[in-house]
Amino acid sequence: MGNRFQVQDRFKGGAQYIDGRLRPGTSGRNHAIVDPATGEQVLTYDLAGTDDVDAAVAAARAAFPGWAGATPGERSDALHRFASVLAEQAEDLAQAESLQCGKPIKLSREFDVPGTVDNTAFFAGAARHLQGQSAGEYSGDHTSYVRREPIGVVGSVAPWNYPLQMAAWKVLPAIAAGNTIVLKPAEITPLTSLMFAQAATEAGIPDGVLNIVTGTGREAGEHLVGHPDVAMTSFTGSTPVGKRVAEVATATVKRLHLELGGKAPFVVFDDADLEAAVHGAVAGALINSGQDCTAATRVYVQRPLHDAFVAGVADLMATVRLGDPFDPSTDLGPLVSHAQRDRVAGFVDRARSYATVVTGGKAPGGDLAKGAYYLPTLISGAAQDSEVVQSEIFGPVLVVLPFDSDDEGIALANDTPYGLAASAWSRDVYRTGRATREIKAGCVWVNDHIPIISEMPHGGYKASGFGKDMSVYSFEEYTQVKHVMYDNTAVVRKDWHRTIFGDR
């Protein structure tokens, strides 16, 4: 295995970032970060307890008046500096992301890190465009206008699959709108979230605006979500955990944003470019080792193309290179942990009783045996109501099913509880237009699958949650709308008063 990013000295102060500095957690328990490619421990740190959450929320609450009172231009300038600092630290961020997650370094360098820098630059500009509705005399006797105001302290919880990008998606719209934030990253992958917060301080964002508490969901996460001084929470993760977050948050009537699981359909009509669809399916299924809530997971292929599609995907998967995440030629790294690898393997092993594992379906041996690797896996012949079609596997596993009519293909695409992302493949604009209208998902790609851009929103339908990350639409989650109304008449006795006392 290649050289690994050195973290011991970088985080010797601890894995909590509160009020502008690193500090150790006070839970009395520690956690080891494990390199999933080797199984070796790379850092042991003290987990956050409830006292650390309280301290972080207090720091965010103290910083809120000053940050909320800054002009949009001042917040914009700070975020532009933030983007510059992140760009300067791009290689360190990529190395740390690959170390803790097992991502191929080319994915970290070309997707995770530049996407985060771009997202930061986008919100630097968007911070200047938080307008409400223009003034007008809607009643005739009054002038009304709408203000957008920050909510207060945001308490967010981010997942382990894209730690850097998810930190950015939570933090940037919140602070661009004038809020302050406490973010709890996944305890198994906190390194780049901490580096992100340190970069914010280097850029001149005031202490307390961005705080990180690294602890377990049951202790630090639930305490943060339920904290009475937290006005809004944003959570990205599985649907079952999202339900628990909602239960805790509603006890204090918080604003809530949930980006939950997905089971993205990939619908291939019989006039599609077969080669393009095969390549798109393999890329869409294997990105980040399939640990992506928008990954292509279930492909519906119109029957005339079905067999050729299955053969093409199997052949292309066989060319994918598993290896050391720090080798630039590696295509597929390990899953985030051995526990996750075993979970994925369990889905595939159970599927053998009712479907065909066309290729993959096992962990590799040899030099990769110590890591949490799993071969790219293709399954065919599963029923629509089977576990591998309905449940989120979150690994490099693709399931292919046939369909006959267009009606059936779209119905099957909608036939899961989820609705985060989907794609439709056809040369016919009317077919794809129908698919984009009728597939119930927050994003529908046409003749592609996976690309995201800062200017466009990301969020789901149905059990995939509600609310949006990225784009100006995310400000709907992080601002309160206030109606201000001025009387223009200077009349003491208004005509409507007679409905309460006296006569006209």
Side-chain angles (χ1 to χ4, degrees):
M1 293 289 179
N3 293 329
R4 294 297 195 261
F5 182 72
Q6 300 301 308
V7 299
Q8 296 287 346
D9 290 341
R10 184 138 193 171
F11 298 105
K12 61 185 178 182
Q16 318 303 322
Y17 196 76
I18 300 172
D19 208 16
R21 58 196 58 84
L22 288 171
R23 53 187 267 183
T26 62
S27 70
R29 297 182 309 283
N30 59 35
H31 183 82
I33 298 173
V34 175
D35 178 350
T38 64
E40 297 174 358
Q41 296 184 8
V42 297
L43 179 71
T44 299
Y45 67 91
D46 297 317
L47 287 161
T50 56
D51 288 346
D52 302 303
V53 174
D54 290 342
V57 172
R61 187 178 182 187
F64 175 70
W67 184 247
T71 66
E74 289 168 338
R75 290 198 294 268
S76 175
D77 288 347
L79 286 166
H80 277 299
R81 294 193 301 269
F82 190 10
S84 295
V85 173
L86 291 170
E88 292 166 2
Q89 298 178 3
E91 182 60 19
D92 280 357
L93 289 164
Q95 295 270 337
E97 196 78 332
S98 287
L99 176 66
Q100 66 181 354
C101 299
K103 294 175 188 284
I105 191 66
K106 65 179 180 178
L107 182 67
S108 295
R109 285 174 176 160
E110 298 177 33
F111 183 74
D112 296 71
V113 174
T116 299
V117 174
D118 182 75
N119 211 231
T120 307
F122 169 80
F123 278 104
R128 290 180 176 265
H129 298 284
L130 275 165
Q131 293 111 346
Q133 190 172 352
S134 60
E137 286 69 49
Y138 300 100
S139 78
D141 291 336
H142 306 82
T143 296
S144 289
Y145 69 91
V146 170
R147 292 175 52 89
R148 283 197 176 274
E149 297 180 347
I151 296 171
V153 176
V154 176
S156 291
V157 180
W160 48 256
N161 58 334
Y162 291 101
L164 178 61
Q165 289 204 82
M166 293 299 99
W169 287 16
K170 299 304 179 198
V171 168
L172 294 171
I175 66 174
N179 302 285
T180 56
I181 188 168
V182 179
L183 174 72
K184 192 202 87 67
E187 65 270 25
I188 63 174
T189 55
L191 300 180
T192 48
S193 298
L194 292 163
M195 294 167 69
F196 187 74
Q198 289 175 308
T201 299
E202 291 180 41
I205 292 176
D207 293 349
V209 170
L210 169 52
N211 307 274
I212 307 288
V213 289
T214 308
T216 66
R218 188 168 297 277
E219 183 173 6
E222 291 207 5
H223 191 64
L224 176 62
V225 170
H227 201 290
D229 290 333
V230 169
M232 182 256 181
T233 193
S234 177
F235 169 80
T236 295
S238 71
T239 298
V241 178
K243 292 177 180 178
R244 176 59 184 162
V245 169
E247 290 174 3
V248 175
T250 53
T252 48
V253 197
K254 288 177 169 47
R255 179 81 68 90
L256 186 61
H257 165 218
L258 299 174
E259 197 267 89
L260 306 177
K263 191 70 177 174
F266 187 108
V267 183
V268 183
F269 295 99
D270 58 13
D271 67 337
D273 182 324
L274 179 61
E275 185 179 11
V278 166
H279 281 77
V282 173
L286 299 186
I287 185 171
N288 201 35
S289 297
Q291 299 166 127
D292 186 311
C293 50
T294 63
T297 58
R298 50 193 178 103
V299 179
Y300 299 99
V301 185
Q302 207 148 24
R303 204 170 295 274
L305 296 184
H306 177 269
D307 292 351
F309 181 90
V310 170
V313 168
D315 288 345
L316 188 55
M317 280 186 168
T319 70
V320 172
R321 300 164 296 183
L322 278 70
D324 178 3
F326 288 87
D327 182 342
S329 67
T330 292
D331 297 322
L332 194 73
L335 281 85
V336 76
S337 68
H338 288 77
Q340 180 64 14
R341 190 271 312 275
D342 293 346
R343 179 181 179 275
V344 170
F347 277 100
V348 177
D349 290 343
R350 290 188 295 274
R352 296 181 197 278
S353 66
Y354 58 80
T356 300
V357 177
V358 179
T359 189
K362 63 181 180 179
D367 294 340
L368 302 182
K370 291 183 179 179
Y373 290 88
Y374 198 77
L375 292 172
T377 299
L378 177 64
I379 295 174
S380 68
Q384 175 66 15
D385 62 355
S386 63
E387 180 186 49
V388 290
V389 175
Q390 293 293 324
S391 299
E392 188 173 32
I393 299 173
F394 229 56
V397 179
L398 184 64
V399 184
V400 182
L401 297 86
F403 70 93
D404 291 305
S405 68
D406 289 14
D407 289 349
E408 181 189 14
I410 291 174
L412 290 169
N414 285 328
D415 185 28
T416 71
Y418 300 106
L420 186 58
S423 62
W425 297 72
S426 170
R427 292 182 172 95
D428 186 330
V429 66
Y430 297 104
R431 266 180 155 171
T432 56
R434 179 189 176 190
T436 62
R437 292 190 301 273
E438 296 186 13
I439 293 176
K440 304 304 180 186
C443 174
V444 181
W445 292 285
V446 176
N447 294 324
D448 207 346
H449 195 106
I450 284 298
I452 55 173
I453 50 175
S454 298
E455 291 83 359
M456 289 290 110
H458 176 86
Y461 286 23
K462 303 191 296 185
S464 292
F466 48 82
K468 300 299 179 184
D469 288 308
M470 299 199 299
S471 82
V472 294
Y473 291 96
S474 65
F475 286 137
E476 301 295 330
E477 318 305 326
Y478 295 98
T479 56
Q480 300 186 96
V481 172
K482 177 186 287 184
H483 170 214
V484 178
M485 195 176 203
Y486 283 90
D487 170 59
N488 293 330
T489 67
V491 173
V492 173
R493 180 82 180 269
K494 307 293 194 294
D495 185 59
W496 70 269
H497 290 179
R498 66 187 176 82
T499 63
I500 313 302
F501 58 88
D503 299 317
R504 188 184 296 275

